[in-house]
Amino acid sequence: MNDVTAAALAPALFTLTTGPVNCYPEVLSAIAKPVLYDYDPAFLAFYEATVLKLQKALRIQTVPVILQGEPVLGLEAAAASLVAPVDVVLNLVSGVYGAGYGEWLKPRAGSFHEIRVAYDEVIDPAAVAAFLDAHPEVTLVAICHHDTPSGTLNPIEEIGRVVRAHGALYVVDSVSAWAGVEMDLDAVGADLLVTGPNKCLGCPPALSILAVSDRAWAKMETNPAAPRASMLSILDWKEAWRKENPFPFTPSVAEINALDAGLDRYLGEGPEAVWARHATTAAAMRAGVLAMGLELWAARPAIASPTCTAVKLPAGVDETALRTLMKRRYGVVISSGRAETFNRLVRIGHMGPTAHPLYAVVALTALGGAMAELTGRAIDIGAGVAAAEAVIRG
Amino acid sequence: MNDVTAAALAPALFTLTTGPVNCYPEVLSAIAKPVLYDYDPAFLAFYEATVLKLQKALRIQTVPVILQGEPVLGLEAAAASLVAPVDVVLNLVSGVYGAGYGEWLKPRAGSFHEIRVAYDEVIDPAAVAAFLDAHPEVTLVAICHHDTPSGTLNPIEEIGRVVRAHGALYVVDSVSAWAGVEMDLDAVGADLLVTGPNKCLGCPPALSILAVSDRAWAKMETNPAAPRASMLSILDWKEAWRKENPFPFTPSVAEINALDAGLDRYLGEGPEAVWARHATTAAAMRAGVLAMGLELWAARPAIASPTCTAVKLPAGVDETALRTLMKRRYGVVISSGRAETFNRLVRIGHMGPTAHPLYAVVALTALGGAMAELTGRAIDIGAGVAAAEAVIRG
Amino acid sequence: MNDVTAAALAPALFTLTTGPVNCYPEVLSAIAKPVLYDYDPAFLAFYEATVLKLQKALRIQTVPVILQGEPVLGLEAAAASLVAPVDVVLNLVSGVYGAGYGEWLKPRAGSFHEIRVAYDEVIDPAAVAAFLDAHPEVTLVAICHHDTPSGTLNPIEEIGRVVRAHGALYVVDSVSAWAGVEMDLDAVGADLLVTGPNKCLGCPPALSILAVSDRAWAKMETNPAAPRASMLSILDWKEAWRKENPFPFTPSVAEINALDAGLDRYLGEGPEAVWARHATTAAAMRAGVLAMGLELWAARPAIASPTCTAVKLPAGVDETALRTLMKRRYGVVISSGRAETFNRLVRIGHMGPTAHPLYAVVALTALGGAMAELTGRAIDIGAGVAAAEAVIRG
Amino acid sequence: MNDVTAAALAPALFTLTTGPVNCYPEVLSAIAKPVLYDYDPAFLAFYEATVLKLQKALRIQTVPVILQGEPVLGLEAAAASLVAPVDVVLNLVSGVYGAGYGEWLKPRAGSFHEIRVAYDEVIDPAAVAAFLDAHPEVTLVAICHHDTPSGTLNPIEEIGRVVRAHGALYVVDSVSAWAGVEMDLDAVGADLLVTGPNKCLGCPPALSILAVSDRAWAKMETNPAAPRASMLSILDWKEAWRKENPFPFTPSVAEINALDAGLDRYLGEGPEAVWARHATTAAAMRAGVLAMGLELWAARPAIASPTCTAVKLPAGVDETALRTLMKRRYGVVISSGRAETFNRLVRIGHMGPTAHPLYAVVALTALGGAMAELTGRAIDIGAGVAAAEAVIRG
């Protein structure tokens, strides 16, 4: 094995990706706890307490649901549970993940519409309002909050007001935004919001978190197409959180231990404080990127997510070459684009434990250094870091 | 909180259940490792290496599949992937889990048959042969190896020879037997065998393991009903183990770390040695149960699984009262029955780290003591432990 | 490597020794926390909080001292710090550890006396009173609370009253008793009591805990022989616990993390509850030993420590053969005797996490089985376990 | 608690100190392993294997010694064991630690000399040669390799040649250099070299490591002043590493588990590779410090240690204010000076896991930002980071 291969195969020194992310030390301690039998009354009580702690963290009135698979499970289960052949679905697409979600909605819907914008843009609430005015038959609207492959953040609260006024069900994928982005779920008014512990909560990937409104429960219960007795069922888990009820199947005990510790960390630090450091880290990163003469992917800084910075690849720079060099020389691993954004941008995650501004400095140094080498241009890393530090200093 | 409640809510001192089971210390150390980005080349190489290590542990020629959910996912995915409306399915039922699997097979099959035996019995290979002779149209046969709610072990190798001679696909649920029971997968000849790390391998519950034959892959690939782009898809993961290929979605990184350590433990100790201590533990347990004047659930000791001992509840003994007293007074948690076996038996698991004969002694003492109190009869705990110890001494 | 060697080199399945003991899971989780810089204000505050938590656990008025080495350090440091050439020392010897402590006291004292009893007996308070009446010049009395190599427990409270009436300083080695034995340190009135986290508190061996009276501090401060600027100094650490003060040298950060978790466990369960399960475990063990026809080392059950059961070796049984067989066949590791008690007894620890009565059953089974083989006699293991279980049932 | 206090009490995000340092993840995993009984044959064999692994890491011919306390124990024990009233000791002092060591040597020596240089300088081998020529009666020479409070590195190999030619015993404190600095112990020729796992090996502080020559063993064995039956004894541990021998007292089991993992990490990465990243990190740090217009403490860069960078405090900058601001705003904790260097410099450690060049970038950003605020001067952080990055790029 030569040195280049060895460096590639060494674990990253700094995992600054959009997920899986680094876990908080408290989370890694908790995941190594002894694994209890799921019907040990100690675990039944613990599971109930964790779900209620999650409710507190979500700041919602209904009891949330944990599904035993990483958030794609929650997203697929939401589509399968809520959409019936009677439904007219509007899918809002500002990126790869929003578009992908259509693949799960469309075959299940009676009819299917989309509003699409460029993948460096976000959905305009006015366009949604206009569409719904023109299509009173729409029964369900779906949106991706933070379309991770673009690093852009849709205005889910404003769109939520429009959808609520219209009366349709509102499904939100907030997997990589919740717990890192300031948000008020009451104001958003989602009927089903899917998120997970493996992004801004700093836990490993293996669970889905669902906030479900009473209206969404009613829809699922009356939807004959909604999965039951299946890994894809949300209904099966509705009452499973109560310590006197059985589980549909064995929950992922170690991951529940980890989630509980992640929630303690989040509530202990305080959601507002957590959101603030995500925002500051992103602001520092963006200031640095611009100061180094690189371009953000997002059409405007205002629509870039506090949990991710997507940087345009300069012409001629191959994303794999860039990320390989960043790992080999600096020990820094960042995320690639996906599908339409692949090889057009790279992404630096600001999530959970890495949402600290000094990680922006680490990312800027590695990104700037590797860009300089691959482009042969002078990249002013110093200017980048100085700009980031100015943001930190406030 | 009174003392009784406190004892119920305290974690078990001895978790001697049929799963989730205690994890090996090496597994708990490994699950707390830093979580890598799934596209870090270090993780891609690690995932591939773990799958190949799993192949070695399974002693099979094809590359196995890991699905990212506890074994019910593997079981549901197998039914969904293999069964098409053209199929004539024979489900072999000797217990609750075998019967339950029919619920997933039947709606997907063109036609559906079952051979059923009493739940304290196992399937007779001759009966299968006779049925298949009479029904040459059968295309798929399914069986549960160790029907955990009964603690009985079906002769999957003998039945496999019958099925292979017939030419049908052969689906085996060996979730709670594999890695604890002596078996030769080549001789079994399953086309799809589902198991998991959370039983005899001593890992947490969160992953499925699938051994898939070339014939089963071919069937899935030509089955239009087989899930694709879904949590339930096996096909999506067929080539995902190769380090140069993408994952369908984020694998459960921490659980993969745990699985890898569980495989090292298993291969390091040696499968034959691991099977032997499962067998000795079960033999000690059964000798003790009989010596205390209690009855085994299994019609004959020869069909009881080395990984679980199911004990009949004497008339008048409530299973919850029994298990609650065992936990409160002795710190021992065991498993209840399920469905038809609920409140008719209790079960002591011998799986992974608890497959050591001294845990049989622990279980016998707690079981005997609690039975004595609840029945008001003299139970000769001493005779039970002495009989168990005699087995250990050999 | 043959199978016998492999079994010997495998880690014990049940470590039922007198220390190092198994650690509580909470302790092992805590010891893996990130290691902080000792002058990080976060650590300074944590260290202070841990010392004050320790004070609460000790139920004393003065602030205790943590020394950075396992309890032999505390014991040597106590001798070095308190004894001056002007002192007349009375060492009370009922076992190997009491006798050994004389080796540290004698060379430092002006004159040195001992009261010695047989090693299966304990010190009689009346004998101490008589000696002190006859020797008014005695300035310091030392005693080992639980002389571990004999498993016997001296009446330190009654002797403390005698010593206090006399006016001498009172030094108590309670390393393997504190936190497992009911005791009231105010009533004991020790001027310096040495203990450690590595016995009944269920932590690893690496720290000493010292409860120091104001009178003992005064003696050390005026004793020119007391070590200063040394690993052996207690004085160096007197004020180090305050977060605004420097440490004499780097404390063992990971072990402090572990100690803190051990204290949480102890205070959370409640000292009285912890003592009760140590007592019940020991009672169950002794009932079982006697029922199997084996003999306790202690002259009377009343003087046996709740934290250890010492069992006499029958004639012709070699202790190494016995312990080797117990490990190889049963996975159980127990302690040997030491010095005068070596090869005359073996010891089963009841400390911290293993102070649960079912571990007595485990120990009895392994001990009885191995004894039966080595003596060729019938050992009624059943009677032993039944007697133990009767104690548990109460 | 106000926000400033909360920030101070939060654990550091980046612990970039001169020790205790961050531990490698592998080390934290290992320290949480089950704690074995020290006389479990499994532990006896493990301890022996760890000592022999340590010998391999030290690349020496004699078997090294582990003492059960952080390296001050090793240093005090070395002075106590080697120095007798017949000895004429020469202590070489280029910093606070070298001077402090004299406090342990002087009272034990027959006569005592020192060569002292300014604390931003190192010892000149020629001066040692001249002194020894003038003082043929010198029997022992002591030196601190990396005098941490100054961050300077003495030429122990060159001085070793001089001492060896003279014939005196040679005692080297290499606590914070070994495993981070390129060195050949054969060429150094130390008779007793003290180091520890808690610096460049990335383990917690709780053990001392001693490399002892045959000549040093002979001296100890014939030195009546050498401690025996004491925490300070080296002799007690001479043969304790052999699995058939007893320990003088209980070793710190969890810390031995950690050390073993630290050695695996060191040998697995390769000592040369480990040294190289320490050197590169230090070079990047120094380039950055100079580029920001700050001054290094070391009189010349060539004498600065690869394991630590000491930066002069500009006039008017209070060290506590600086370090507090660095922690509060940037989450970075660095070390203060000690004694004569206190409030004259601050120190950034490059040890073990933090010996990666990107940590130099982190440190430069935080240091530069805080300096700018406290001095009111423009500090060109960008120039600093750019200079560091240029070193990384090579």
Side-chain angles (χ1 to χ4, degrees):
Chain A
M1 188 162 70
N2 62 26
D3 285 357
V4 172
T5 308
L9 295 184
L13 184 57
F14 297 95
T15 295
L16 302 178
T17 58
T18 59
V21 299
N22 269 318
C23 296
Y24 288 108
E26 296 90 332
V27 167
L28 293 180
S29 278
I31 201 171
K33 282 170 57 173
V35 166
L36 293 181
Y37 179 51
D38 51 347
Y39 288 106
D40 187 332
F43 184 76
L44 291 165
F46 175 73
Y47 192 90
E48 176 177 310
T50 301
V51 170
L52 295 177
K53 196 180 286 179
L54 178 58
Q55 182 184 31
K56 193 174 161 194
L58 288 161
R59 298 180 175 179
I60 56 176
Q61 304 307 313
T62 54
V63 177
V65 172
I66 300 169
L67 293 188
Q68 312 298 319
E70 79 102 38
V72 293
L73 171 59
L75 292 167
E76 184 180 4
S81 299
L82 285 179
V83 183
V86 300
D87 282 305
V88 179
V89 167
L90 171 62
N91 188 38
L92 304 175
V93 178
S94 63
V96 173
Y97 281 0
Y101 203 49
E103 303 300 313
W104 278 337
L105 295 168
K106 191 175 182 180
R108 294 175 164 103
S111 70
F112 178 77
H113 306 276
E114 285 189 336
I115 297 177
R116 284 182 172 256
V117 297
Y119 284 6
D120 61 354
E121 263 297 346
V122 293
I123 301 292
D124 178 0
V128 179
F131 189 94
L132 291 179
D133 283 347
H135 296 80
E137 72 279 15
V138 168
T139 56
L140 186 147
V141 178
I143 191 165
C144 182
H145 187 188
H146 169 214
D147 209 303
T148 328
S150 304
T152 49
L153 197 74
N154 276 307
I156 60 166
E157 190 172 326
E158 294 78 353
I159 294 171
R161 277 194 290 269
V162 170
V163 175
R164 212 152 48 244
H166 176 84
L169 285 172
Y170 186 37
V171 178
V172 177
D173 164 1
S174 189
V175 173
S176 60
W178 179 72
V181 174
E182 182 173 359
M183 57 193 291
D184 171 353
L185 287 201
D186 282 340
V188 171
D191 290 293
L192 204 154
L193 180 138
V194 179
T195 186
N198 52 316
K199 303 282 181 180
C200 303
L201 213 56
C203 297
L207 299 174
S208 296
I209 293 170
L210 282 75
V212 186
S213 75
D214 292 332
R215 219 160 61 118
W217 281 122
K219 176 67 191 283
M220 285 189 249
E221 282 159 3
T222 57
N223 181 4
R228 287 164 178 85
S230 169
M231 190 77 186
L232 289 177
S233 177
I234 302 172
L235 285 168
D236 290 358
W237 287 89
K238 187 182 179 192
E239 299 295 334
W241 63 276
R242 291 185 197 277
K243 62 177 175 289
E244 60 273 21
N245 288 347
F247 296 112
F249 56 83
T250 308
S252 299
V253 177
E255 304 286 343
I256 301 292
N257 288 339
L259 169 59
D260 182 70
L263 292 169
D264 281 343
R265 183 69 173 71
Y266 179 66
L267 294 168
E269 183 174 352
E272 283 75 9
V274 174
W275 303 337
R277 64 177 164 77
H278 281 78
T280 304
T281 305
M285 186 71 204
R286 285 160 202 165
V289 166
L290 296 174
M292 293 197 305
L294 297 170
E295 286 181 71
L296 298 175
W297 173 263
R300 289 153 290 134
I303 63 171
S305 173
T307 63
C308 171
T309 295
V311 179
K312 267 190 202 167
L313 283 176
V317 173
D318 175 66
E319 78 92 39
T320 305
L322 179 70
R323 295 196 305 113
T324 301
L325 182 56
M326 287 178 71
K327 178 166 183 191
R328 179 169 60 81
R329 182 174 291 161
Y330 304 93
V332 173
V333 170
I334 63 171
S335 292
S336 56
R338 293 268 175 124
E340 285 88 341
T341 68
F342 185 78
N343 214 15
R344 299 180 64 195
L345 56 79
V346 289
R347 295 174 294 151
I348 296 89
H350 319 301
M351 295 179 177
T354 57
H356 275 284
L358 270 255
Y359 286 111
V361 168
V362 167
L364 288 165
T365 305
L367 180 67
M371 283 281 197
E373 168 128 348
L374 293 177
T375 60
R377 292 192 327 209
I379 300 275
D380 192 342
I381 296 167
V385 170
E389 197 280 329
V391 170
I392 302 169
R393 213 185 304 179
Chain B
M1 189 162 70
N2 60 28
D3 283 359
V4 173
T5 309
L9 295 183
L13 183 58
F14 296 95
T15 294
L16 302 178
T17 59
T18 58
V21 299
N22 271 320
C23 297
Y24 288 106
E26 296 89 332
V27 167
L28 294 179
S29 278
I31 201 172
K33 282 171 57 175
V35 166
L36 293 182
Y37 180 50
D38 51 346
Y39 288 104
D40 187 332
F43 184 77
L44 291 165
F46 175 74
Y47 191 91
E48 177 177 308
T50 301
V51 170
L52 295 177
K53 195 181 286 180
L54 177 58
Q55 181 185 29
K56 192 174 161 194
L58 288 161
R59 299 180 172 178
I60 57 176
Q61 304 308 314
T62 54
V63 177
V65 172
I66 300 169
L67 293 188
Q68 314 296 319
E70 76 104 38
V72 294
L73 171 60
L75 291 168
E76 184 180 4
S81 298
L82 285 179
V83 183
V86 299
D87 282 304
V88 179
V89 167
L90 171 62
N91 188 38
L92 303 174
V93 178
S94 62
V96 172
Y97 281 0
Y101 202 49
E103 303 299 313
W104 277 337
L105 296 168
K106 190 174 182 181
R108 294 176 164 101
S111 70
F112 178 77
H113 305 277
E114 285 190 335
I115 295 177
R116 283 182 173 254
V117 296
Y119 283 9
D120 58 354
E121 263 298 347
V122 294
I123 301 292
D124 177 1
V128 179
F131 190 95
L132 292 179
D133 283 348
H135 295 80
E137 71 278 16
V138 168
T139 55
L140 186 147
V141 177
I143 192 165
C144 182
H145 187 188
H146 169 214
D147 208 302
T148 329
S150 304
T152 50
L153 196 74
N154 275 306
I156 59 168
E157 191 172 327
E158 292 79 351
I159 294 170
R161 277 194 290 269
V162 170
V163 175
R164 212 156 46 246
H166 176 85
L169 284 171
Y170 187 36
V171 178
V172 177
D173 164 1
S174 189
V175 173
S176 58
W178 178 73
V181 174
E182 182 174 357
M183 56 194 290
D184 170 353
L185 288 200
D186 281 340
V188 171
D191 290 293
L192 202 153
L193 180 139
V194 179
T195 187
N198 53 315
K199 305 282 182 182
C200 304
L201 212 56
C203 297
L207 299 174
S208 296
I209 294 169
L210 281 73
V212 186
S213 74
D214 292 333
R215 217 160 61 116
W217 281 121
K219 174 68 192 282
M220 286 189 251
E221 280 158 5
T222 57
N223 180 5
R228 288 164 177 83
S230 168
M231 189 77 186
L232 289 178
S233 177
I234 302 171
L235 285 167
D236 289 359
W237 288 89
K238 188 181 179 192
E239 298 294 335
W241 64 275
R242 291 184 197 278
K243 61 178 179 289
E244 60 273 21
N245 287 347
F247 296 112
F249 55 85
T250 309
S252 298
V253 178
E255 304 286 343
I256 301 294
N257 289 338
L259 170 59
D260 181 70
L263 292 169
D264 282 343
R265 182 70 172 71
Y266 180 68
L267 294 168
E269 184 175 351
E272 284 74 10
V274 174
W275 303 337
R277 64 174 164 80
H278 282 76
T280 304
T281 306
M285 186 72 204
R286 283 161 202 163
V289 165
L290 297 173
M292 293 198 303
L294 298 170
E295 287 181 68
L296 298 175
W297 173 262
R300 288 155 292 134
I303 64 172
S305 173
T307 64
C308 171
T309 295
V311 180
K312 267 191 201 167
L313 282 176
V317 174
D318 177 66
E319 78 92 38
T320 305
L322 179 70
R323 295 196 306 113
T324 301
L325 181 57
M326 287 178 71
K327 179 166 183 191
R328 178 168 62 80
R329 183 173 289 160
Y330 305 92
V332 172
V333 170
I334 63 171
S335 292
S336 56
R338 294 268 173 124
E340 285 88 342
T341 68
F342 184 77
N343 213 17
R344 298 180 66 195
L345 57 77
V346 290
R347 295 175 293 152
I348 295 88
H350 320 299
M351 294 178 177
T354 57
H356 274 284
L358 270 255
Y359 286 112
V361 168
V362 167
L364 288 166
T365 304
L367 180 66
M371 283 281 196
E373 168 128 349
L374 293 178
T375 60
R377 291 192 328 207
I379 299 274
D380 193 343
I381 296 167
V385 170
E389 197 279 329
V391 170
I392 301 170
R393 215 184 301 177
Chain C
M1 190 162 69
N2 62 26
D3 284 358
V4 172
T5 309
L9 295 184
L13 184 57
F14 297 96
T15 296
L16 302 178
T17 58
T18 58
V21 298
N22 270 317
C23 296
Y24 288 107
E26 297 91 330
V27 167
L28 293 180
S29 279
I31 202 171
K33 284 170 57 175
V35 166
L36 294 182
Y37 180 50
D38 51 346
Y39 287 104
D40 187 331
F43 184 78
L44 291 165
F46 175 74
Y47 191 91
E48 176 176 310
T50 300
V51 170
L52 295 177
K53 194 179 287 179
L54 178 58
Q55 182 184 29
K56 193 174 160 191
L58 288 162
R59 299 181 174 177
I60 57 175
Q61 304 308 312
T62 54
V63 176
V65 172
I66 301 170
L67 293 188
Q68 313 297 320
E70 77 102 40
V72 294
L73 171 60
L75 291 168
E76 184 180 3
S81 298
L82 284 179
V83 183
V86 300
D87 282 303
V88 178
V89 168
L90 171 61
N91 188 38
L92 304 175
V93 178
S94 63
V96 172
Y97 282 181
Y101 202 48
E103 303 301 312
W104 277 337
L105 296 168
K106 190 173 180 180
R108 292 175 165 102
S111 70
F112 178 76
H113 306 276
E114 284 189 334
I115 296 177
R116 284 182 172 254
V117 296
Y119 282 8
D120 60 354
E121 263 296 347
V122 294
I123 301 291
D124 178 0
V128 179
F131 189 94
L132 292 179
D133 282 348
H135 296 80
E137 72 278 16
V138 169
T139 56
L140 187 147
V141 178
I143 191 166
C144 182
H145 187 188
H146 169 214
D147 208 301
T148 327
S150 305
T152 49
L153 197 74
N154 276 307
I156 59 168
E157 192 172 324
E158 292 79 353
I159 295 170
R161 275 196 292 271
V162 170
V163 175
R164 214 156 43 248
H166 177 84
L169 284 172
Y170 187 37
V171 177
V172 177
D173 163 0
S174 187
V175 172
S176 59
W178 179 73
V181 174
E182 183 174 355
M183 56 194 289
D184 172 353
L185 288 201
D186 281 340
V188 171
D191 290 293
L192 203 155
L193 181 140
V194 178
T195 186
N198 53 315
K199 303 283 181 178
C200 302
L201 212 56
C203 296
L207 299 175
S208 297
I209 294 171
L210 282 74
V212 186
S213 75
D214 292 332
R215 219 159 60 115
W217 281 121
K219 175 67 192 282
M220 286 189 250
E221 282 159 3
T222 56
N223 180 5
R228 287 164 176 84
S230 168
M231 189 76 185
L232 289 178
S233 176
I234 302 171
L235 284 168
D236 289 359
W237 288 89
K238 186 180 181 193
E239 298 295 333
W241 64 276
R242 292 183 196 278
K243 62 177 177 289
E244 61 273 20
N245 287 348
F247 295 113
F249 56 85
T250 308
S252 298
V253 177
E255 304 285 344
I256 301 292
N257 289 338
L259 170 60
D260 183 69
L263 292 169
D264 281 345
R265 182 70 172 72
Y266 180 68
L267 293 168
E269 183 176 351
E272 282 75 11
V274 175
W275 303 336
R277 64 175 165 78
H278 282 76
T280 304
T281 306
M285 186 71 205
R286 284 159 203 167
V289 165
L290 296 174
M292 293 198 304
L294 297 170
E295 286 180 69
L296 298 176
W297 173 263
R300 288 154 291 133
I303 63 172
S305 174
T307 63
C308 171
T309 295
V311 179
K312 268 191 203 167
L313 283 177
V317 174
D318 176 66
E319 79 92 38
T320 304
L322 178 70
R323 296 195 307 112
T324 301
L325 182 56
M326 287 178 70
K327 179 167 184 191
R328 179 168 60 79
R329 182 174 290 160
Y330 304 91
V332 173
V333 171
I334 63 170
S335 293
S336 56
R338 294 270 174 122
E340 284 88 343
T341 69
F342 184 78
N343 214 16
R344 299 180 64 194
L345 56 80
V346 289
R347 294 174 295 150
I348 295 91
H350 320 301
M351 295 180 179
T354 56
H356 275 285
L358 271 253
Y359 286 112
V361 168
V362 167
L364 287 166
T365 305
L367 180 67
M371 282 280 196
E373 168 128 349
L374 294 178
T375 59
R377 291 193 328 210
I379 299 274
D380 192 342
I381 296 168
V385 171
E389 198 279 329
V391 170
I392 301 170
R393 213 185 304 178
Chain D
M1 188 162 72
N2 62 26
D3 285 359
V4 172
T5 309
L9 294 185
L13 185 56
F14 298 95
T15 295
L16 303 177
T17 57
T18 57
V21 299
N22 271 319
C23 296
Y24 288 108
E26 295 91 332
V27 167
L28 293 179
S29 278
I31 201 172
K33 283 170 58 175
V35 166
L36 294 181
Y37 179 50
D38 50 348
Y39 287 104
D40 187 332
F43 184 77
L44 290 166
F46 175 73
Y47 191 91
E48 176 176 308
T50 302
V51 170
L52 295 177
K53 195 180 287 179
L54 178 58
Q55 181 185 29
K56 192 174 161 192
L58 287 161
R59 299 180 174 179
I60 56 176
Q61 304 308 314
T62 54
V63 177
V65 172
I66 301 170
L67 294 188
Q68 312 297 319
E70 76 102 40
V72 293
L73 171 60
L75 292 168
E76 183 180 2
S81 299
L82 284 179
V83 184
V86 300
D87 282 304
V88 178
V89 167
L90 170 62
N91 188 38
L92 304 174
V93 178
S94 63
V96 172
Y97 282 0
Y101 203 49
E103 302 300 314
W104 278 336
L105 296 169
K106 192 173 179 181
R108 294 175 164 101
S111 70
F112 179 77
H113 305 275
E114 286 190 334
I115 295 176
R116 284 180 171 256
V117 296
Y119 284 8
D120 60 354
E121 264 296 350
V122 294
I123 300 292
D124 179 0
V128 179
F131 189 94
L132 291 178
D133 283 348
H135 297 77
E137 71 278 18
V138 168
T139 56
L140 186 148
V141 177
I143 191 167
C144 182
H145 186 188
H146 168 214
D147 208 303
T148 330
S150 304
T152 49
L153 197 73
N154 276 307
I156 59 166
E157 192 172 325
E158 293 79 351
I159 293 170
R161 277 195 290 270
V162 170
V163 175
R164 213 159 40 247
H166 176 84
L169 284 172
Y170 186 38
V171 178
V172 176
D173 164 1
S174 187
V175 172
S176 58
W178 178 72
V181 174
E182 183 174 358
M183 56 194 290
D184 171 354
L185 289 200
D186 281 340
V188 171
D191 290 292
L192 202 153
L193 179 138
V194 179
T195 186
N198 54 315
K199 303 285 181 180
C200 303
L201 211 57
C203 297
L207 298 175
S208 296
I209 294 170
L210 281 73
V212 187
S213 74
D214 292 332
R215 217 160 61 117
W217 281 121
K219 176 66 192 282
M220 284 189 251
E221 282 159 3
T222 56
N223 181 4
R228 287 163 177 86
S230 168
M231 189 78 187
L232 289 178
S233 175
I234 302 172
L235 285 168
D236 290 357
W237 288 88
K238 187 181 180 193
E239 297 295 335
W241 64 276
R242 291 184 196 276
K243 61 177 177 291
E244 61 273 20
N245 287 347
F247 296 113
F249 55 85
T250 309
S252 297
V253 177
E255 305 285 344
I256 300 293
N257 288 338
L259 169 60
D260 182 69
L263 291 169
D264 281 343
R265 181 72 173 71
Y266 180 68
L267 293 168
E269 184 175 351
E272 283 74 11
V274 174
W275 304 337
R277 63 175 164 79
H278 281 78
T280 305
T281 305
M285 185 72 205
R286 283 159 202 166
V289 164
L290 296 174
M292 294 198 303
L294 297 170
E295 287 180 70
L296 299 175
W297 173 264
R300 289 154 290 133
I303 62 171
S305 173
T307 63
C308 170
T309 296
V311 180
K312 267 191 202 167
L313 283 175
V317 173
D318 176 67
E319 78 93 38
T320 305
L322 178 71
R323 295 195 307 114
T324 301
L325 182 57
M326 287 178 72
K327 178 167 184 192
R328 178 167 62 79
R329 183 174 289 159
Y330 303 92
V332 173
V333 170
I334 62 170
S335 293
S336 56
R338 293 269 173 122
E340 284 88 344
T341 69
F342 184 78
N343 214 15
R344 299 180 65 193
L345 56 79
V346 289
R347 295 173 295 151
I348 295 89
H350 319 301
M351 294 179 179
T354 56
H356 275 284
L358 270 254
Y359 286 112
V361 168
V362 167
L364 287 166
T365 305
L367 180 68
M371 283 281 196
E373 169 128 347
L374 293 178
T375 60
R377 293 193 325 211
I379 299 276
D380 193 343
I381 296 168
V385 170
E389 198 279 328
V391 170
I392 301 170
R393 212 184 306 177

